Amino acid sequence: MVAERAGTSVATVSLVANGKDAGHVSAQNAERVRQAIAELGYVADHAARALASGSSNLVVFVTPDASNPYFGAVIRGLRAGLGDAYQLLVSVTGEGDVPTAAALGRLAALRPAGVVVDAPSEAFLEELRLDTALVLLDAPRLPTTTAEAASGAVAADRRAVSVDFDLLGGVRALLDHLHVLGHRQLGYLGGRTATDTFLLRRLLLEREAAVRGMRVHADDRAESIIDLEAAAAAFVDSWPRWRDAGVTALVCATDTHAYGVLQSARAMGMPVPGELAVVGFDDLASSVVSDPPLTSVRLPGEALGRAGAEQLLARIEGRTVAPAPVIGADLVIRASTIGR
Amino acid sequence: MVAERAGTSVATVSLVANGKDAGHVSAQNAERVRQAIAELGYVADHAARALASGSSNLVVFVTPDASNPYFGAVIRGLRAGLGDAYQLLVSVTGEGDVPTAAALGRLAALRPAGVVVDAPSEAFLEELRLDTALVLLDAPRLPTTTAEAASGAVAADRRAVSVDFDLLGGVRALLDHLHVLGHRQLGYLGGRTATDTFLLRRLLLEREAAVRGMRVHADDRAESIIDLEAAAAAFVDSWPRWRDAGVTALVCATDTHAYGVLQSARAMGMPVPGELAVVGFDDLASSVVSDPPLTSVRLPGEALGRAGAEQLLARIEGRTVAPAPVIGADLVIRASTIGR
DNA sequence: CTGAAAGCGCTTACAG
DNA sequence: CTGAAAGCGCTTACAG
C-alpha cells in the first residue's frame, strides 16, 4: 500500500480511504492521508478490497438486450439513482436469451454489492441463487391460477422486490382507445424472449379485451426478438392469419416490433392505420418521426431505473424503504391509430 | 476451497480449474476434480483469483452513451468476437460526457484483462494510464498540422490500436450524392461530446466539400448530445443562420440527430427533402421507417465490435495479429435526399 | 505427479 | 488515537 507515504500505518490509510475515520483517526493524520491519496491518485485494488471485506461497490445490471434505446433510458435512471457511491456495470445477455446459470455464477464471483435484473423470466428467477442485494425491474408476477387470472391479483411470495410498470393501466387505456375507434379483432405481435413482461402484456390484453367484447389473436408464431427486421418477417408470416380473422388493429410488444410492422405494411402497400392500426409499447423517442408516428404505451425507463436504484440502495445498506412505486404507463396517441 | 472434496489438494484443484493440468495432474485426479467442480457448481471467486494471479477474465467496454442503438450493435460484435473466454461488462458514461480519471481508476481497480473504449477524445487518451490491453473503437486521429490536414495522412504514433470506420469514404460518397443533386451550401449538425469521431466527420466534410466546390456551414452552436429532442432544439436554433446562408442540405452527426431535425422540420412545415435534404451517420434500423426514410452513412457497429474484439484478444494473449481492417462505411440512399 | 507454503493487497478486530 | 497481525480465497513457484 503505497499511500503509507503519509507516514502512518496501513490500517490508518484504509480507515481514512473508506471514510471510517470518524473518532478513530486524528484530524491531522486523516488530512495527511487524504493528501497522499490525492497526490498518488490512489485507488484501492478492487480485488483485494472485495476479498478482504467480502463486498464491493459494484452494481451489476443484467439486461437481455442493449440495442433497444429503452434500456439506455433504464441505465440512465440507474446511474442517476445510484450516484457516485456505487459503480454500475452492465452485463448484456444475447438477444432473446436469458442469462444462464454459468453467466450468473461469473457475476456472483465478482461479489457485487447489488444486482439489478431487467425483464427476467420466472425460470431465471428460480435458478437465481445470489446472496447479494437484488432488485428486479419490469418483472411482474404472472397469474398462476385461474382465480388470480380473473382477479388480476397475484400472490406476492417472491424473494426479490420488483419495480414494475402499470401495465394494466396502459393496456386498459390502449384498449379503450381502440374500442372507441371501432376495432374488435386485434392481433398481438409478441416478444420472443422468455421474459414474463411480454407474456403479461399478452395476458392482460386478452383478459381486458374480453371484458370489452374484443378478441385478441395471438399465438406462438406471432413473435420475434426485439429487432426491426425480425419483427417485419414475423408480421409477414402472421398477417394472412390475422387478415382472415378480421384483425383491424395490431398491438406490438415493443415499438421496435411496431417499426418492423410499419416497414412490412409499407412494402405490402397496406395503409396504416387505414387497413391496420398499429400500437407499440415503450414510446421510443423515434416513434414521433416514424411514418406514421406511432401510438404507444409509454414505459418510462428512466423512472424505472431510478426507482430500482433506490430500492437496491436500501437493500444494500440494510435500510427499510417505502415499497417501490408502480411506474405509470400512459398511452401516447399518434397517427398510427387515428390517421393524420 | 470447498472443491477439495475431490480428495486432492487445493493446488491440484486450482490447476485443473484453470486448465493448466496438462502433464501436471494425473488424468484420474483431474477427472475427479472436474466432477466435484460440476457437482458443486463451483466458480472461482473473482476477487481472490484476480488478486493472486494479477489478472482476470474481465473485459470492460467503455461507451459514452447506451441509448443509441448503434452501441447495441457494437456490444453484439464484441460479445461475438470475445467468445466465452472473457466476460464483457459495459461501463456507461453519462450522455455527452467523457469518462473521468476517477472512473478510469475504478475500472483499473477491477484489473480487467482488457479494456475497449468507443469514441474517445484525444484528451481522454492523454489521461489514460492503463496497464491492461487496450483497444480503441472509432477513435481516428485528428490531423494536427495543416500538412496532415491537407493530405489526410496522420502520424500513427498512438499508444493504443484503434479500429476505425472508413469515414473518408463515407463522406466522399455522401458529398458526391449531394453534389449530383445540386446542393452547394451544406449545414452540419454536430455531436456535442468531446469525441474525436464527430470532429473528424466535420473536418472531412469541410475538406472534401471544398474540393467539390461546396461549402459547409458548421459552428459550435450547431451541435447537441445524441438525443432526438436535444437535436431538434439545436436545429431550431441554427436553422435561421443556415437558411440565410442558403443551406439546402444538412448533414447530421448521427441518425438520432437527423430524427430531431425531421421532427423540427415537420413542426415548422418545412418539406424534406423539398426545402432541406437531410443525411445522418449510423444507418439505424429505424431509419427505414422514419418520415421520410433517412439517407445515411452506414456505420456497421457489429463489424467494428468484432474486429475490436479480435485485436484485443491478440493483445491480451500476447499474439501478433494482422492490423485491424478499416470498416467500410457505405452511403445508404433513401427519401430524405431524393424524395419519393 | 502431488502437496505444503508463501503471497497477492487489502480490511478488520485486537492490543497497546 | 494508532500500529502489528491475521485472514479474505485463490495461484504459483517450490520441495518432495
Side-chain angles (χ1 to χ4, degrees):
Chain A
M1 199 166 181
V2 214
E4 52 183 290
R5 305 264 176 83
T8 68
S9 76
V10 191
T12 308
V13 172
S14 177
L15 252 21
V16 175
N18 292 305
K20 293 182 180 167
D21 50 328
H24 287 290
V25 178
S26 67
Q28 204 187 106
N29 269 354
E31 191 44 42
R32 286 170 60 190
V33 170
R34 263 187 280 274
Q35 278 218 6
I37 288 179
E39 281 164 16
L40 280 62
Y42 170 76
V43 180
D45 183 275
H46 177 265
R49 168 205 269 269
L51 185 57
S53 71
S55 70
S56 72
N57 69 339
L58 212 65
V59 168
V60 177
F61 176 49
V62 181
T63 171
D65 184 353
S67 54
N68 193 344
Y70 161 76
F71 292 107
V74 176
I75 290 171
R76 222 177 302 134
L78 281 171
R79 278 174 48 87
L82 246 27
D84 285 334
Y86 294 92
Q87 173 160 31
L88 183 69
L89 248 28
V90 182
S91 171
V92 180
T93 311
E95 311 175 283
D97 288 349
V98 140
T100 62
L104 279 174
R106 291 192 295 192
L107 288 182
L110 284 170
R111 299 204 184 189
V115 174
V116 179
V117 184
D118 196 323
S121 68
E122 202 61 39
F124 168 78
L125 293 175
E126 294 299 337
E127 196 177 326
L128 233 189
R129 280 276 121 258
L130 236 46
D131 50 355
T132 49
L134 172 68
V135 166
L136 274 21
L137 301 183
D138 193 16
R141 271 281 316 251
L142 294 178
T144 49
T145 67
T146 45
E148 280 181 357
S151 73
V154 151
D157 66 343
R158 231 203 336 243
R159 292 174 297 285
V161 263
S162 170
V163 184
D164 292 317
F165 291 121
D166 178 21
L167 288 177
L168 179 57
V171 163
R172 282 180 171 157
L174 175 57
L175 288 174
D176 288 342
H177 174 61
L178 292 176
H179 192 272
V180 165
L181 293 173
H183 298 284
R184 293 300 177 267
Q185 305 296 320
L186 314 179
Y188 177 68
L189 180 60
R192 199 203 75 205
T193 57
T195 282
D196 285 347
T197 183
F198 289 145
L199 219 45
L200 185 62
R201 291 172 200 191
R202 173 173 162 184
L203 290 179
L204 290 176
L205 212 53
E206 291 177 332
R207 193 186 78 199
E208 293 295 314
V211 171
R212 288 162 178 74
M214 304 161 89
R215 167 113 192 264
V216 176
H217 301 266
D219 60 64
D220 292 346
R221 278 175 63 194
E223 60 177 35
S224 78
I225 58 171
I226 308 180
D227 175 85
L228 196 154
E229 297 295 337
F235 174 72
V236 169
D237 173 69
S238 291
W239 174 241
R241 281 172 284 142
W242 282 329
R243 184 193 49 215
D244 294 347
V247 163
T248 57
L250 181 62
V251 180
C252 302
T254 72
D255 279 12
T256 298
H257 286 85
Y259 295 161
V261 171
L262 293 183
Q263 185 189 20
S264 287
R266 184 188 309 170
M268 296 159 73
M270 183 188 313
V272 173
E275 188 170 344
L276 182 71
V278 177
V279 186
F281 279 85
D282 280 348
D283 189 31
L284 299 185
S286 47
S287 291
V288 20
V289 291
S290 64
D291 183 16
L294 195 63
T295 295
S296 186
V297 176
R298 174 149 201 277
L299 303 181
E302 188 160 351
L304 188 78
R306 200 180 278 268
E310 249 168 51
Q311 294 291 318
L312 189 72
L313 285 181
R315 248 145 279 265
I316 290 175
E317 291 159 8
R319 287 185 280 114
T320 50
V321 72
V326 172
I327 311 293
D330 299 329
L331 182 68
V332 180
I333 298 174
R334 299 203 185 86
S336 71
T337 52
I338 56 168
R340 313 253 165 169
Chain B
M1 198 166 183
V2 213
E4 51 182 290
R5 304 264 176 82
T8 68
S9 76
V10 190
T12 307
V13 171
S14 177
L15 253 20
V16 175
N18 292 307
K20 295 184 179 166
D21 49 328
H24 286 290
V25 178
S26 67
Q28 205 186 105
N29 269 355
E31 191 45 43
R32 285 169 61 190
V33 169
R34 264 188 278 276
Q35 277 219 6
I37 288 179
E39 280 164 17
L40 278 63
Y42 170 75
V43 179
D45 183 275
H46 176 266
R49 167 205 270 269
L51 185 56
S53 71
S55 71
S56 73
N57 68 339
L58 212 64
V59 168
V60 177
F61 176 50
V62 180
T63 171
D65 183 354
S67 53
N68 192 343
Y70 161 76
F71 292 108
V74 176
I75 290 172
R76 222 178 301 133
L78 281 171
R79 278 175 47 87
L82 246 28
D84 285 334
Y86 294 91
Q87 173 160 31
L88 183 70
L89 247 30
V90 182
S91 172
V92 180
T93 311
E95 311 174 284
D97 287 350
V98 140
T100 62
L104 278 175
R106 291 192 295 193
L107 288 182
L110 284 170
R111 298 203 184 190
V115 173
V116 179
V117 183
D118 197 323
S121 68
E122 201 62 39
F124 168 78
L125 293 176
E126 293 301 333
E127 196 177 328
L128 234 188
R129 280 276 120 256
L130 236 49
D131 50 354
T132 50
L134 172 67
V135 167
L136 273 21
L137 301 183
D138 193 15
R141 273 281 315 250
L142 294 178
T144 50
T145 67
T146 45
E148 278 183 359
S151 72
V154 153
D157 67 344
R158 231 202 336 242
R159 292 174 296 286
V161 263
S162 169
V163 184
D164 293 317
F165 291 122
D166 178 20
L167 289 177
L168 178 57
V171 163
R172 284 181 169 155
L174 175 57
L175 288 174
D176 287 342
H177 174 61
L178 293 176
H179 192 272
V180 167
L181 295 173
H183 298 285
R184 293 299 177 268
Q185 305 296 322
L186 314 179
Y188 177 67
L189 181 60
R192 200 203 74 204
T193 57
T195 282
D196 285 346
T197 184
F198 290 145
L199 220 45
L200 185 62
R201 292 173 200 190
R202 174 174 160 182
L203 291 179
L204 291 176
L205 212 53
E206 291 176 333
R207 194 186 75 200
E208 293 295 314
V211 172
R212 288 162 179 75
M214 305 162 88
R215 167 114 192 267
V216 176
H217 301 266
D219 60 64
D220 293 345
R221 279 175 64 194
E223 60 178 38
S224 78
I225 59 171
I226 308 180
D227 175 84
L228 196 152
E229 297 294 338
F235 175 71
V236 168
D237 173 68
S238 291
W239 174 240
R241 280 171 285 141
W242 283 329
R243 185 194 47 213
D244 294 347
V247 164
T248 57
L250 182 62
V251 180
C252 303
T254 73
D255 279 12
T256 299
H257 286 85
Y259 296 162
V261 172
L262 293 183
Q263 185 190 20
S264 287
R266 186 188 308 169
M268 296 158 74
M270 183 187 314
V272 173
E275 187 171 346
L276 183 71
V278 178
V279 186
F281 279 85
D282 279 350
D283 189 31
L284 300 185
S286 46
S287 291
V288 13
V289 292
S290 64
D291 183 17
L294 194 64
T295 294
S296 185
V297 176
R298 175 151 201 276
L299 302 181
E302 188 160 351
L304 188 78
R306 200 180 278 269
E310 248 167 53
Q311 295 290 319
L312 189 72
L313 286 180
R315 248 144 279 265
I316 291 175
E317 292 160 8
R319 286 185 280 113
T320 50
V321 72
V326 172
I327 310 292
D330 300 327
L331 181 67
V332 181
I333 298 173
R334 299 203 186 87
S336 70
T337 51
I338 56 168
R340 315 252 165 170

